[in-house]
């Protein structure tokens, strides 16, 4: 096993609750290791995880991040296997079992429409992460999407086609459907900030267009999830989309009717 040949001390870092991005950064700042691997509290690493990712980093020294595939499990069963490979395939990225290879030139574009790399399944270069300012602590969620999009501008990602980690599925997950509105809001904000920083990130016209398309899709997701949450959430989302110039999507009457319906339905149930 990897840990048998690597003498690393374990250190517990405690801090007040400041959100997931701040917790990730605190862990990173507590070490001077050149490569950082993440493990969320409710996830597990397979015994081969660190060894395979380290091997990939050595095989592809030009990479800034390496990641393995994951399986998703509940309290009673494995819910999904080969999560990254399946998600990547939906975005036109080919990933084959039993291989380790470096991502192609379309890495950034493949990540715009949604992340297929899970934090507990990856390892990244500390030096590269420092260049992008580590994790954005202004983001309550979707900090991993922002981090990966920015990191992809600095170099390639190497994929290890083995399931090296398991992610637990439960109602407490940040990505659970009950958090849909919050997730859609921050997904929209991430792409908004990426476009604002397009010159600094050296996005070409094709990459900008893909990002605008992604932001437009996130705008639709945001106003829809806000409308099914009722009029208050709908009005907040309306204000956000107005500020970003998405007037057409914001003023679609279907969204207002939907928000009114869900609000009246909740009122009637409470009477």
């Amino acid at each position: 096993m990897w840990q048998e040949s690597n003498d690393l001390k374990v250190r517990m870092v405690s801090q007040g609750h400041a959100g997931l991005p701040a917790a990730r950064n605190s862990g990173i700042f507590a070490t001077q290791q050149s490569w950082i691997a993440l493990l969320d509290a409710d996830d597990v690493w397979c015994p081969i995880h660190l060894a395979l990712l380290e091997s990939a980093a050595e095989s592809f020294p030009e990479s800034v991040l390496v990641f393995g595939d994951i399986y998703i499990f509940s309290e009673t069963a494995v819910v999904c296997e080969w999560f990254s490979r399946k998600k990547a395939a939906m975005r036109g990225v080919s990933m084959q079992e039993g291989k380790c290879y470096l991502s192609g030139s379309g890495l950034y574009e493949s990540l715009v429409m949604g992340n297929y790399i899970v934090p507990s399944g990856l390892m990244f270069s500390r030096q590269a992460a420092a260049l992008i300012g580590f994790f954005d602590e202004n983001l309550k969620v979707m900090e991993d999407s922002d981090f990966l999009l920015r990191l992809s501008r600095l170099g390639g990602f190497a994929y290890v086609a083995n399931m090296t980690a398991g992610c637990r599925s439960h109602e407490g997950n940040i990505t659970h459907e009950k958090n849909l509105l919050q997730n859609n809001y921050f997904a929209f904000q991430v792409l908004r900030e990426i476009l604002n920083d397009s010159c600094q990130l050296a996005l070409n016209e094709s990459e900008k267009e893909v990002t605008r398309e992604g932001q437009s899709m996130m705008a639709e997701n945001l106003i829809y999830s806000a409308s099914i949450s009722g009029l208050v959430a709908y009005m907040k989302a309306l204000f956000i989309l107005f500020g970003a110039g998405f007037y057409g999507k914001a003023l679609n009457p279907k969204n207002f009717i939907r928000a009114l319906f869900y609000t009246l339905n909740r009122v009637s149930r409470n009477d």
Side-chain angles (χ1 to χ4, degrees), residues 132-163:
I132 64 169
F134 300 102
F135 289 94
D136 186 347
E137 296 184 14
N138 293 316
L139 298 171
K140 292 183 179 180
V141 294
M142 299 297 168
E143 81 293 334
D144 53 331
S145 294
D146 174 76
F147 180 81
L148 293 172
L149 283 169
R150 294 178 185 276
L151 200 65
S152 72
R153 308 306 297 165
L154 301 182
F157 292 4
Y159 169 65
V160 179
N162 293 82
M163 283 187 288

Side-chain angles (χ1 to χ4, degrees), residues 200-220:
Q200 178 186 347
L201 295 171
L203 299 183
N204 60 38
E205 288 305 314
S206 175
E207 291 165 340
K208 290 178 186 177
E209 182 57 30
V210 169
T211 309
R212 283 191 285 266
E213 291 174 3
Q215 189 189 25
S216 178
M217 184 183 76
M218 298 307 173
E220 290 183 359

Side-chain angles (χ1 to χ4, degrees), residues 173-208:
N173 291 141
I174 291 175
T175 54
H176 192 271
E177 61 181 13
K178 69 180 182 181
N179 299 316
L180 183 62
L181 177 56
Q182 174 184 251
N183 293 340
N184 284 337
Y185 166 73
F186 281 102
F188 176 80
Q189 290 295 93
V190 163
L191 294 186
R192 186 179 184 182
E193 290 303 315
I194 291 289
L195 283 171
N196 288 341
D197 295 340
S198 60
C199 291
Q200 178 186 347
L201 295 171
L203 299 183
N204 60 38
E205 288 305 314
S206 175
E207 291 165 340
K208 290 178 186 177

Side-chain angles (χ1 to χ4, degrees), residues 234-259:
Y234 168 74
M235 293 303 296
K236 290 180 179 177
L238 203 65
F239 179 78
I240 292 166
L241 294 185
F242 269 20
F246 285 88
Y247 307 111
K249 295 185 185 301
L251 294 174
N252 187 330
K254 291 182 179 179
N255 293 315
F256 171 74
I257 294 171
R258 189 183 302 111

Side-chain angles (χ1 to χ4, degrees), residues 244-271:
F246 285 88
Y247 307 111
K249 295 185 185 301
L251 294 174
N252 187 330
K254 291 182 179 179
N255 293 315
F256 171 74
I257 294 171
R258 189 183 302 111
L260 182 61
F261 169 80
Y262 276 93
T263 300
L264 294 175
N265 190 41
R266 289 190 181 93
V267 170
S268 65
R269 287 205 308 264
N270 292 332
D271 287 344

